[in-house]
Structure formats: C-alpha cells, structure tokens
Amino acid sequence: MLKTSPAIGASDSFKLPNTMIGACSALSVLVGLSACAPTAKDREDVNDTGIGVVGDDDDDDDDDTPDDDDDDDNNGDKLDMGGGGDDDDDDDVGPGDDMSKVIDMLIVIDNSGSMGEEQANLARNFPNLIQRLQNLQNDTGTGNAVADVNIMLTTTDLGNTRCYGTTPEGGDPVTTGCNEKIADGQFAAVGTTIPDASKACTDVCEDDVVIQDDRPFIHFRANSNNVEDVEDKDVNGDGTPDDEVAQALACLGPQGIHGCGLESPLEAMMQALDPNADHNKGDEPFLRKGAMLAILLMTDEADCSIDETQHPEIFDEEGDKEFWEVNPHTEKKEMTSAVCWNAGVECTGDSPYECESTDEPLRSLDRYKNYLNHLIDDDGKEVVMLGIVGVPPVTEHNEEPPYEPTAGGVLELEYRDWVDELYPEGDILPEDDSADPRRGADYQQYAFGIGPGCTGETDNGEFTGQAIPPRRIRDVCESLNREPSEEDEEGRIRCCMESICDDDFSAAIQCLTGLVEVVPPPQ
C-alpha cells in the first residue's frame, strides 16, 4: 500500500531530490515508475484485436462488437462469452449439474511498487480460498458440491506512456511462478529505492509449483487438476496441509512490484474477459458457457483505465495539465498518480466531499458495468465480484452466507483531503526522519489527489500503509447487486468490498466464496 510518503512504497531512507525536473522526475519519485518514455511492450492484441477493438472508442462496424461511443442506447459493450469447450477430465461433472459448482475465477492483482505486503497477505490466504472452493455446499444444502474451477491471474499493468521498464500483461494470463519472477527482477520496483519484496513469494512458495498442460490457468475438479503433482505441505503456517492446487496458486499469486504505477484494474479485467483472446477460445477455454464468473480485484490506488489513443492529452507535458496537481515545493503542476483520481472522479462541496465517477476522459464505466450486467440479465450467467481495495476495515459481517459487510468498510468510507496531523488524529504516519518534506498533507494531496480510504496497522502497532478510495471500482462492483423486487423478493448481493488495509484477508476470501455459494447457478 501507499507508505508514509508519496513515493509509493518507498523506503524511509529515500530522499526527495533537491531539484525535480518536470513531471518525468516527479512521477518516477512519486509513483514508483522509471517514468516518461513510451511503454516497452506494444500490445497488438490490446489495440488491434479482441476487446481492444470491441471496446475501443473507434467506429468499427462489427455488428457483434458495439463500441463505447454508441449513444443511441448507451448500452456499452455486450459481448458473447464464447468458449464452452468440454473438459477431458474423467469426472462426469459439468455446467447444469445440480451437484456441481462450475466457476471461472479471474484474479487481477496490483503489481506496482507499493504492493509487496498486500501480495504476501493474499498469497497466505490462497490456500484458504482453495479449501473453501473444494468444500462448497451444493444448491440443496445437503452436502459438498463438486467444484469445477478455473482460476486465472493477471495484473493491473496495461502499460502507459508514463511507464517504461515494465512488461505490461494487458490482461493476459500469468503462468510464471513467483520464484522465477524473483530471478527476473520482478520483485524489485522500477526506478525507486523500495526494498526487495521477494518474501511475498518465498514465505509461501519454497519452489514453484507449476501448471502442467497448455492451459494458462489452474483447473481442478473432484480428484483431478492440471498442476504439478507434489506432496501436501502447510505453505502458510495455519496448521493445515495444503494440496498441490493450493500450493500452485500460492506460487502463482505474488506478481512482484515491477509493474506500472498507473494501475488499470478495470481494463485489465475487461481484456482478460475478451472472448476473442486465445485463453478464451478452443476446446479448453478459461471462460465456459454455463459457468459462474467470479472476479477478484486487488489494488491500493484509483483505477486509471484509459484509452490513450483517445485522450493522449492526459499525460502530455505540453498539454493544459488539467488533471495534474501543483507540487507545493516547486509551485508547478507536475505529473503524479493524482491524475488518475482527478480524471476519473468529480467531487463537490468541502472535505469530506460528495464524489462521483465521471465518464471522461478515462474509459466510461458503462463499458464494464453494461458488459457484466449483460452477462447476468441477458445471458443468464452469474457474476460476482470481490474488491480488496482502499476502504476502511470491515467491523461486522453477516453471519450467514454470503458473509457480506454490515458495518465499517464502504459504509464508513469518506472522500476527503489529507489531514496534516500524525495518525490517528490525522493521516500522517510516524517516520524516523521527521524533516522529510514528504510528510506534509499538502504534498500527499499533490501526490494522490484525495485522502486515504484506509490506514493499515498491525496488532503490535506497526503501520502497513494507506490506500486510495476505489470510487470507480466500487461503482462497477455495486452495479451487480439487485434490490428486492416482485420477481426477487430478497434481491441479490453479488458485490463484496473489503479493506486492503486489513492484515488478514481471510474475511475477504470468506465473502468471495460466500457469494459463490449462495448465488444460484446459471440457468
């Protein structure tokens, strides 16, 4: 998470340069980016194929791929899920079986420089996730369902003209174990003095447990799976031996901290769900007709999903810098991650503000909301979502599935400026170097555009960091819920938002699997 200074995740020994040369230097300092050159990876499949065409704001006359600028019905993207290939596994389980839970789970993980501790936290809870999926109740509540599960991981890195030295996944699946990523330098942040985060991997994954077939995702059901056969081992120290599937997910989960600091979790999600992507085609696709779609998004910053071909001015040094903040030390507008908040959210009144997501210049949220809700309302496909994001810690949960938050969390979230007092009276965390000018609230405001949604603190009083409120992700997630109606007296909860500032994500995992358990199977 955001640490004590606006150099996201920077160590306390990091010092503000005496001179900051324009936005390039500012961004490399503030956002953990090497900064200011075109992205190193030109992703042809993002811009020229699949959802890159489907959702891009160009006028492509493909009847099956309406684009965002179609204002006639403002329906955004409505894409066929495609897929539907049969498994070759021996177990006679498939979509529509009353005793089965067929689930396609997409996990999008922030891999920017501030995320080492949070990735470690999530990886420790992945064995818990697998155990809960393997022990889901069937729809009649008479015993365990047969879980038929695909799990695919990707990152929030879509690339950006302000990032270089990273290798953006662009929604593509990650199949590399975290120990291999350590060897490739992925657990060292780009262009900063952030400490190496390799323990996020090695604490749960001594040796990479890898996928054994051509599918770029984990698959398991009943007694079969597609991962390396290894002996059970307690990888997270909870006293329960973890099978090979749990070990594989713990090894695949930590993504490193080498990614772009302008995170795009919503667009990464959309690209991963592209029915034209290779991983969603063929006889064994990730997305399967008749399967529930479960999505987990984890990030500590504001969503920055943007089509730079439509709005290159957002990051343009020669532009009007409409969404840039003034550096209180140079008194000049400079590029920081605040641009993502300012370009995607509009706030009114005084702090605490009333804040709403905007449709421009970031990608319209209709792109994401309409697509996911189209799957629910028109395709009969169930969709649930968990956000592990910058909201206050949840203090109470429903005691019954889906175990949704009932106090704290998003219910207590405020949108406000940074408060220039030491925590807990304010938002400034203690530092060894009290002379560090980054401690001031005015500098934090310049860096992020909005005050923290939460502050993480362990039981022994150590701070784990802070996180920015998830206004755009919240809107997309909550759009999946349904209020009670004549057709559905109870309504339907499909969204769960938990705090990334928690030092244990077990409640978040319980909520996600609770959503999976109580939402009825697709019809």
Side-chain angles (χ1 to χ4, degrees):
M1 284 180 291
L2 318 179
K3 307 302 178 186
T4 56
S5 77
I8 300 176
S11 66
D12 290 339
S13 63
F14 187 86
K15 303 299 181 184
L16 186 71
N18 292 328
T19 304
M20 301 182 72
I21 305 173
C24 291
S25 297
L27 191 59
S28 64
V29 170
L30 298 175
V31 194
L33 309 178
S34 290
C36 300
T39 180
K41 183 180 179 185
D42 296 325
R43 292 199 71 260
E44 179 181 353
D45 51 335
V46 171
N47 293 321
D48 299 322
T49 65
I51 283 187
V53 169
V54 169
D56 279 353
D57 299 329
D58 55 12
D59 290 327
D60 187 7
D61 291 329
D62 188 338
D63 292 338
D64 294 327
T65 56
D67 61 47
D68 289 345
D69 285 342
D70 185 355
D71 292 328
D72 291 339
D73 55 11
N74 196 31
N75 282 333
D77 294 317
K78 289 189 175 181
L79 311 178
D80 253 342
M81 289 306 296
D86 294 328
D87 249 277
D88 293 330
D89 292 339
D90 295 333
D91 309 299
D92 187 16
V93 180
D97 189 320
D98 290 339
M99 300 301 289
S100 70
K101 290 282 188 179
V102 186
I103 305 155
D104 299 330
M105 181 172 291
L106 172 65
I107 302 175
V108 182
I109 298 175
D110 188 340
N111 65 331
S112 65
S114 57
M115 289 294 297
E117 292 174 354
E118 293 65 45
Q119 290 181 24
N121 189 343
L122 187 61
R124 286 193 300 270
N125 279 280
F126 274 153
N128 179 25
L129 171 63
I130 296 300
Q131 292 163 16
R132 287 181 175 275
L133 290 173
Q134 291 170 336
N135 291 287
L136 289 172
Q137 291 293 297
N138 61 38
D139 298 325
T140 61
T142 57
N144 286 356
V146 178
D148 183 346
V149 182
N150 287 340
I151 302 178
M152 190 175 83
L153 297 97
T154 191
T155 75
T156 58
D157 191 349
L158 264 290
N160 190 285
T161 56
R162 288 288 179 167
C163 299
Y164 75 88
T166 72
T167 53
E169 282 71 30
D172 286 347
V174 174
T175 58
T176 303
C178 59
N179 283 284
E180 184 176 341
K181 284 178 172 287
I182 291 174
D184 290 341
Q186 297 296 308
F187 283 81
V190 179
T192 75
T193 58
I194 297 171
D196 180 89
S198 59
K199 284 180 65 64
C201 169
T202 56
D203 281 355
V204 293
C205 180
E206 182 177 352
D207 297 298
D208 288 339
V209 179
V210 297
I211 295 169
Q212 292 289 288
D213 61 16
D214 292 334
R215 285 175 284 191
F217 50 85
I218 291 172
H219 170 77
F220 69 90
R221 70 179 183 186
N223 295 316
S224 65
N225 60 67
N226 69 336
V227 304
E228 183 179 359
D229 186 15
V230 295
E231 293 184 1
D232 288 1
K233 180 170 60 175
D234 181 6
V235 300
N236 58 357
D238 65 355
T240 302
D242 301 306
D243 67 12
E244 64 270 26
V245 176
Q247 293 180 53
L249 186 56
C251 289
L252 281 175
Q255 298 300 310
I257 57 172
H258 197 263
C260 179
L262 300 173
E263 295 91 332
S264 304
L266 291 175
E267 187 59 23
M269 172 193 74
M270 194 72 167
Q271 296 290 344
L273 298 179
D274 178 358
N276 296 311
D278 288 344
H279 55 264
N280 290 325
K281 296 189 295 186
D283 292 334
E284 296 178 318
F286 167 66
L287 291 174
R288 299 168 291 177
K289 289 183 178 178
M292 174 185 292
L293 174 61
I295 302 166
L296 190 164
L297 304 180
M298 184 174 78
T299 183
D300 63 355
E301 284 214 52
D303 174 68
C304 206
S305 298
I306 189 169
D307 181 354
E308 288 191 77
T309 65
Q310 295 294 313
H311 293 285
E313 74 279 4
I314 301 307
F315 308 106
D316 187 359
E317 188 74 28
E318 304 301 322
D320 61 12
K321 305 177 183 177
E322 177 183 358
F323 302 106
W324 297 22
E325 295 277 345
V326 174
N327 184 334
H329 300 297
T330 65
E331 298 184 351
K332 296 178 180 179
K333 279 192 172 184
E334 294 176 358
M335 175 69 194
T336 68
S337 60
V339 72
C340 301
W341 175 266
N342 294 339
V345 181
E346 186 174 286
C347 298
T348 57
D350 297 323
S351 178
Y353 303 106
E354 294 290 330
C355 295
E356 299 294 338
S357 301
T358 59
D359 287 334
E360 291 282 345
L362 300 188
R363 288 188 181 271
S364 170
L365 292 187
D366 284 345
R367 171 176 172 79
Y368 313 111
K369 292 192 292 186
N370 289 350
Y371 176 51
L372 296 178
N373 281 282
H374 162 70
L375 298 180
I376 297 171
D377 296 332
D378 299 331
D379 282 3
K381 186 180 186 71
E382 276 301 339
V383 181
V384 298
M385 181 181 291
L386 165 66
I388 302 179
V389 288
V391 300
V394 175
T395 54
E396 292 182 18
H397 291 83
N398 190 340
E399 295 182 357
E400 300 293 330
Y403 311 110
E404 76 277 10
T406 56
V410 73
L411 300 173
E412 294 184 3
L413 179 61
E414 288 187 340
Y415 304 102
R416 56 176 179 77
D417 293 336
W418 289 79
V419 177
D420 202 6
E421 299 286 344
L422 286 178
Y423 184 86
E425 286 75 19
D427 298 314
I428 308 305
L429 304 186
E431 294 182 71
D432 294 335
D433 183 2
S434 60
D436 189 335
R438 296 170 302 161
R439 295 181 67 248
D442 57 348
Y443 203 83
Q444 299 279 29
Q445 193 75 26
Y446 150 69
F448 303 114
I450 193 68
C454 64
T455 296
E457 187 175 8
T458 64
D459 291 338
N460 60 9
E462 295 180 359
F463 292 101
T464 58
Q466 297 167 298
I468 297 305
R471 179 70 259 186
R472 284 168 54 86
I473 294 174
R474 174 184 179 179
D475 285 352
V476 173
C477 187
E478 291 181 346
S479 77
L480 304 177
N481 292 334
R482 296 293 184 270
E483 295 295 330
S485 64
E486 291 183 4
E487 294 78 17
D488 186 349
E489 294 182 359
E490 296 183 357
R492 187 71 61 194
I493 296 172
R494 296 185 175 93
C495 169
C496 185
M497 302 201 75
E498 297 279 346
S499 179
I500 197 171
C501 294
D502 283 334
D503 61 1
D504 180 8
F505 293 156
S506 58
I509 296 301
Q510 178 175 263
C511 195
L512 177 61
T513 53
L515 290 171
V516 168
E517 190 162 86
V518 302
V519 171
Q523 301 299 314

